[in-house]
Amino acid sequence: MRRLQNYVNGTWVEVESEHAVPVYNPATGEVIAETPLSTHVDVARAVEGAKRAFASWSRVPVVKRARVVFDFLAKLKAERDAIAKMITTEHGKSYLDAQAEVDRGIEGIEHALSAPTLMMGESLAEVSEGLEQTYYRYPLGVVASITPFNFPAMIPLWVMGWAVVTGNALILKPSEQTPMTTLRLVEMFHEAGLPPGVLQAVNGGKEAVDAILSHPEIVAVNFTGSTRTAAYVYETAARHHKRVQAFAGAKNHAIVLEDAVLEPTIDGILRAAFHNGGQRCMATSVVVAVGSVADEVVERLAEGARRMKIGHGFEEGVDVTPLIRKEHRDRVRAYVDEAAMSARLVVDGRPAIDEHPEGFYLGPCLLDGVTPEMRVWQEELFGPVLSVVRARDLDEAIAIANRSRYANGAILYTQSGKAAQVFRDRIDAGMVGINVNVPLPVAFFPFGGHKDSFYGVTGENGKELVQFFTRRKVVSTRWF
Ligand code: NAD
């Protein structure tokens, strides 16, 4: 069995601890590697390397740092398909979705090349007679990022480019469930010329995270994962006086009005709900069908869901791929079992479990007549389950969506500009779509939700990540 290693000081190193967890191919149930669980000793070793690297890397002019990112970008583009294959193998998502994931990660790295402009400060020549003031941006020091299983390339790429180009030394703690893709990306950055210690990968789970959160020399933590872990990371990091941003779970609502163009709407909702097995923080998990269109929406969703192709990620034309782990699949199934007792289970994806015993499959499930009183509406399932709630009008539909504790994305399907304006202004969500199925901001716009979908101030990517990874110094100057 291949036991993975940490990437520390520019080389692969063994993890001290004997403890490890398996990495599976979710399509076959096979164990393909072992993630060692690092302890505070492994984290401390990485911090030592990062401190040394920061001392010199932070003094390299930003233009030169950006050149290393440029060389990494070239490698990334050349190896795009090989990385996508790794994603499909350890995560299970379709090869097409994996390629799209790498492409979105590449966008983040491309945008990181704008660091020389985005790191500029501001000046005023005469704040009073003979006095000028200028602010400069400086890197923070040793920073960390803790990432989730569902985007093992895109999320680390969004973070690593910015953390490094702004002059920090980053310690990355990939998901223990899908670490292999992220580890390869870290290695590739060094093949592109990144000095040892500037970017390191430490494998592990809770113990490694706790060591990061309490280490006095790590000054900032970027986190993406479930709301429960995000809250813990946010509180613990803040207690240790670190700067922290924590991107968390979701329950995205899509409202369908009577004037929506139904064909692309239904097609878009089906893909947003069921591709990647519903394991996306931007997945649509609730449809709010408004007024007289509700019956037709449910009927068409059911037809489409029944037609979806269940299979492994390398199969041509596959729609619904396996879930990350058997335990997770069984947890999602239990939600469906419970919901079927109060709502109407229009499409039952549970037979796929026996039809595909080789992996962690669950077919698409569609529930009608769901209400906010049900657990299936309240909680993030992270699986191929779509709930339909019915509403009288747009006001009621928005009110339902806004009752959720989550507020990552929200979508309105309509042809009415006025309805779109009302929705835009009243919906409580960080990323809003109007006839757009997955309203993921491109790399130049900030990513992030509201309420229990995000704890922090600055979003992911671009200008806001530059703000997160730098601190200001305002210099007042007078010459006699
Ligand atoms: P998770 O919270 O289980 O794990 C995320 C990271 O935290 C991993 O690196 C893991 O090792 C670590 N971790 C897990 N449990 C921990 C604990 N008790 N203490 C300390 N660290 C712990 O999340 P996941 O299952 O890997 O990812 C799926 C979740 O991430 C979903 O809730 C999804 O909505 C969310 N997500 C959010 C965004 C966003 O940008 N808002 C993006 C992707 C995924």
Side-chain angles (χ1 to χ4, degrees), residues 146-151 155 173-177 204-206 209-210 223-227 229 232-233 247-250 280-281 380 382 408 447 453:
I146 299 157
T147 54
F149 81 82
N150 64 330
F151 284 101
I155 292 176
K173 206 297 286 168
S175 165
E176 66 276 35
Q177 303 192 88
K206 179 170 170 50
V209 171
D210 283 340
F223 171 87
T224 308
S226 61
T227 291
T229 320
Y232 171 76
V233 166
F247 300 87
R280 288 194 287 207
C281 68
E380 180 184 46
F382 228 50
N408 215 37
F447 177 101
S453 289

Side-chain angles (χ1 to χ4, degrees), residues 287 298 339 342-346 366-374 376-377 386-390:
V287 165
V298 172
S342 40
R344 190 167 68 93
L345 184 59
V346 186
L366 179 69
L367 290 151
D368 186 19
V370 171
T371 67
E373 285 65 43
M374 298 177 192
V376 72
W377 178 85
L386 182 61
S387 297
V388 179
V389 180
R390 292 171 181 238

Side-chain angles (χ1 to χ4, degrees), residues 307-361:
R307 268 204 312 271
M308 291 197 118
K309 183 167 169 185
I310 303 168
H312 66 76
F314 290 111
E315 242 172 281
E316 198 70 35
V318 70
D319 293 300
V320 188
T321 45
L323 299 194
I324 189 69
R325 292 284 175 271
K326 180 178 180 300
E327 298 71 30
H328 178 56
R329 192 269 316 275
D330 293 345
R331 193 182 138 263
V332 178
R333 181 216 164 107
Y335 274 104
V336 177
D337 294 344
E338 181 187 303
M341 291 192 280
S342 40
R344 190 167 68 93
L345 184 59
V346 186
V347 179
D348 185 355
R350 294 173 298 180
I353 297 174
D354 294 329
E355 287 159 17
H356 295 270
E358 70 282 10
F360 312 140
Y361 288 91

